[in-house]
Amino acid sequence: MGRGAQSQSQSLARVAVVVRAGAAPLWWLGVLAAAIGVLVPGLTGRRIGVLSGAALLLVTAAVTALARRSRYAALAEGAGRAGRGDYLQDRRVTLRRWRRAHRWGLLGGFVVAVGSAFVVPAAGGMVLAGAGAGLWGKAVWLGWWERGAERLLWVSADRALGSPAGRRVGSFRATGPAAGDARPGGTRRRP
């Protein structure tokens, strides 16, 4: 391999793992914020807060799961083959990097969700939980795509910290279904 080919190598993170990275923290922070919010009577009262929160959870989950789906599909269809020099990042490393990069945003969302309970009890927490559920749904959809295409989708690890289908991401890379330590959809591969 020449020098030019080696300089093109990069660290790649699984697209589904990056999407799934925010699902669990958002879900559990949302559940905790909603539980705290139920304890506060709020301006609207608990019943209205919980009912409106349940509706917001469903809407947020659907919007999050469907957002940018066409962009993901276009990048997936145009995915080039990963190079021999590309480094496939472990699932655990991808999760840790994403969560570390977004820890203050997650904490801020939790504080806002708990604070909103003084107006509409539990609703803010349910919105957070809905976002987590939507990300999980998007990762499941990516897993279906990967199984159907029999290839796994990867993105540059440095560009994926914001969004794996954001403006900074120009293309995905693809490998065979046995590459890496995560199954289609980003779940942990059992030994």
Side-chain angles (χ1 to χ4, degrees):
M1 245 188 204
R3 262 175 103 85
Q6 195 166 5
S7 67
Q8 295 295 325
S9 65
Q10 58 185 323
S11 179
L12 300 176
R14 277 289 301 286
V15 174
V17 173
V18 175
V19 170
R20 188 181 280 269
L26 283 169
W27 172 261
W28 289 114
L29 287 173
V31 168
L32 180 60
I36 293 169
V38 169
L39 302 175
V40 179
L43 294 177
T44 62
R46 287 187 187 100
R47 182 169 181 243
I48 291 173
V50 171
L51 290 175
S52 61
L56 287 171
L57 184 146
L58 295 174
V59 169
T60 305
V63 168
T64 304
L66 298 174
R68 301 186 123 188
R69 192 176 274 202
S70 59
R71 170 94 169 131
Y72 279 92
L75 288 170
E77 291 297 333
R81 193 177 169 131
R84 286 181 186 228
D86 289 336
Y87 172 75
L88 304 180
Q89 196 174 80
D90 288 343
R91 178 181 185 275
R92 190 177 324 146
V93 173
T94 302
L95 292 173
R96 185 173 57 238
R97 284 190 72 204
W98 189 95
R99 290 174 182 167
R100 186 175 294 153
H102 293 86
R103 67 182 176 265
W104 295 113
L106 292 168
L107 180 62
F110 174 74
V111 169
V112 168
V114 170
S116 72
F118 291 100
V119 179
V120 185
M126 290 185 172
V127 168
L128 271 185
L135 288 175
W136 178 83
K138 186 176 286 185
V140 169
W141 171 75
L142 283 166
W144 287 337
W145 190 95
E146 288 176 329
R147 278 187 203 92
E150 292 188 357
R151 55 189 191 149
L152 303 179
L153 299 173
W154 300 80
V155 63
S156 169
D158 295 330
R159 295 177 186 242
L161 285 179
S163 166
R167 279 190 210 136
R168 293 181 54 204
V169 176
S171 63
F172 287 165
R173 301 262 181 118
T175 62
D181 64 344
R183 294 184 342 199
T187 59
R188 188 176 42 193
R189 197 183 298 271
R190 306 263 182 229

